[in-house]
Every structure is written in C-alpha cells, then in structure tokens.
Amino acid sequence: MSTQQEFLCSAMSELGMSRDAFCARLGCAGRTLDNWLLPNDSKDHRDMDGAVWTLVREMVAHEKSNQLKTSARKLP
C-alpha cells in the first residue's frame, strides 16, 4: 500500500494536473494539499478524509477509462 503522499503524487501525475489544478478539482485550498503531502511524521501532516481518497481514486479511474475509449477509437 502506498502512502498518502505517494498516492496523491501518483494521481496528479496520472491526471497530468498541476498542484493548483488538482486543488481546484478537489475544491481544497493549496495549504490543505500541502498538509496532505507532508510525510506522516511531520507535525503539520493531515490525513485525508475517506471521501477524498474515494474522489481521487474515481478521478484516476475515469481518466484511465477515457484514455482506453480514445485508444479504441483510433484502432482501425
């Protein structure tokens, strides 16, 4: 299982989103994302709510689904 930090970095990368775009999509402040991205042992680290984990997973799954559909349309 990946850490929260690894999960979020991976999601942003897979979605091709900047930190600002990711925050806008999640509807959170930049500082909130910064706190989520801190290592677990940092005093300012904050755990994400389960709803945020689910939302990010669904965003990534939706993007992967769209990529598969686009790839399928390009096949002869």
Side-chain angles (χ1 to χ4, degrees):
M1 179 166 185
S2 64
T3 66
Q4 179 174 288
Q5 181 184 41
E6 292 167 338
F7 172 70
L8 289 170
C9 289
S10 175
M12 283 189 286
S13 176
E14 288 183 50
L15 295 168
M17 298 178 100
S18 67
R19 291 167 69 101
D20 289 339
F22 197 63
C23 286
R25 184 79 178 269
L26 293 176
C28 71
R31 185 67 185 148
T32 299
L33 180 61
D34 290 343
N35 289 343
W36 289 339
L37 287 167
L38 289 170
N40 291 346
D41 59 356
S42 171
K43 70 179 181 80
D44 290 326
H45 170 84
R46 297 293 179 263
D47 288 331
M48 290 188 302
D49 290 335
V52 179
W53 281 90
T54 300
L55 175 60
V56 174
R57 282 187 193 107
E58 288 180 1
M59 288 168 48
V60 170
H62 181 75
E63 180 64 24
K64 287 180 180 178
S65 175
N66 282 345
Q67 289 173 354
L68 287 173
K69 288 176 188 175
T70 301
S71 295
R73 281 188 232 141
K74 292 180 182 179
L75 292 175

